[in-house]
Every structure is written in C-alpha cells, then in structure tokens.
Amino acid sequence: MIGLIIAGHGEFAKGINSVIELVAGTQENVATVDFLENHSTDDLKNNLKEKIEKMNTEGTLIFTDIPGGSPFKMAVELSMEHDDIEVIAGTNVPMIMEILFDRENVDLLELKNRAMEVGKKQIVTFEMKKKQKQQDEDDGI
C-alpha cells in the first residue's frame, strides 16, 4: 500500500484530513503534518520523516498546499533523498478522495498522475447565472 501524507501551513493538513474522514472514515496509512508558526523547517522535515517511517509503506505520496512553500520544499528535499517519495502541491480534497481506495493496486507514479488529473478536473466554476442573464437579454427580458 502507498502511504499518503498531507502537509501544509497552519492547520491545512488537519482540515483536509477532517473532510476525508467525514466522507470516507479514518484511513489506514494517511498522516498529516501541519507547519505551525512555532515550527522550524527542520522540525517540519523531521515530522515528515517520522510519519513516513511510521507508515512503513511501499512508497509515499505527499500532498502539500502551496507550491514553493516550506512544506512543499521539505517534501521535495525528502523526495530527492528517496526514490519512493513523490510530491504534489496545490492539493484539493477530490484528488485525494479519488485515489484513497486504489493505493494497493497501482504504483506510486501512476497514483500521483491520477491524483493530478482528478485535481485539475475538479476545479470548476458555476456559470448558470451568467448564461441565464445573457439568455434573458437576448430574449429582450
């Protein structure tokens, strides 16, 4: 099974995980690492390492909040030190939910790519009001 770690500034990781647990229940080999105000980047990196070691999985996919932020940078550093770690920034809930139950059936790169694909597709906007207004104007209403 591939382990998942959610990491981010403030309580981002805890918040994302609370949504996952509400919808899908507590999941095996899913961990969170929040980067709080009183933490150093060394603390952050050590917390990530600890979570990875505790899970003892076939690989780890780390989801972070902001590309270029400290959680992302520390995760990337770890991925450069270990071949079995991949990192995604710009995390949203649907990308994690999509892969949550398929972590035993695919390899790490395939899982990462699928999460990326779903994450991008799930960024949508609601346009009905604008279309209706334009239709009304076109109809002379």
Side-chain angles (χ1 to χ4, degrees):
M1 175 181 280
I2 294 171
L4 305 180
I5 295 178
I6 308 163
H9 294 84
E11 294 185 353
F12 173 83
K14 182 179 174 183
I16 293 282
N17 194 51
S18 73
V19 174
I20 292 166
E21 288 183 349
L22 179 68
V23 174
T26 302
Q27 297 298 308
E28 182 181 4
N29 292 319
V30 174
T32 62
V33 175
D34 285 320
F35 184 47
L36 303 172
E37 200 173 318
N38 60 344
H39 292 168
S40 70
T41 53
D42 287 338
D43 293 336
L44 175 60
K45 190 171 181 180
N46 288 332
N47 287 340
L48 288 167
K49 279 183 186 178
E50 258 181 49
K51 300 288 179 163
I52 292 167
E53 289 169 5
K54 276 186 184 177
M55 284 194 284
N56 191 28
T57 58
E58 299 166 18
T60 305
L61 184 52
I62 303 175
F63 292 89
T64 68
D65 55 354
I66 303 169
S70 295
F72 175 75
K73 288 178 185 176
M74 294 302 104
V76 167
E77 282 185 21
L78 287 171
S79 75
M80 291 169 48
E81 297 168 10
H82 305 277
D83 292 337
D84 61 347
I85 298 173
E86 292 290 333
V87 181
I88 294 176
T91 301
N92 60 37
V93 172
M95 71 191 329
I96 298 174
M97 293 296 295
E98 175 70 23
I99 64 164
L100 204 53
F101 302 107
D102 292 333
R103 295 181 287 146
E104 293 186 42
N105 304 324
V106 296
D107 67 26
L108 182 58
L109 288 177
E110 184 179 341
L111 198 66
K112 178 184 81 169
N113 291 335
R114 201 157 113 223
M116 290 290 297
E117 186 179 312
V118 169
K120 290 175 187 176
K121 286 181 180 178
Q122 292 299 317
I123 299 171
V124 297
T125 184
F126 183 72
E127 298 287 338
M128 188 172 207
K129 288 181 182 179
K130 292 178 184 177
K131 289 179 183 177
Q132 185 62 47
K133 183 179 178 182
Q134 184 63 47
Q135 183 65 42
D136 290 348
E137 288 172 5
D138 291 346
D139 292 343
I141 299 175

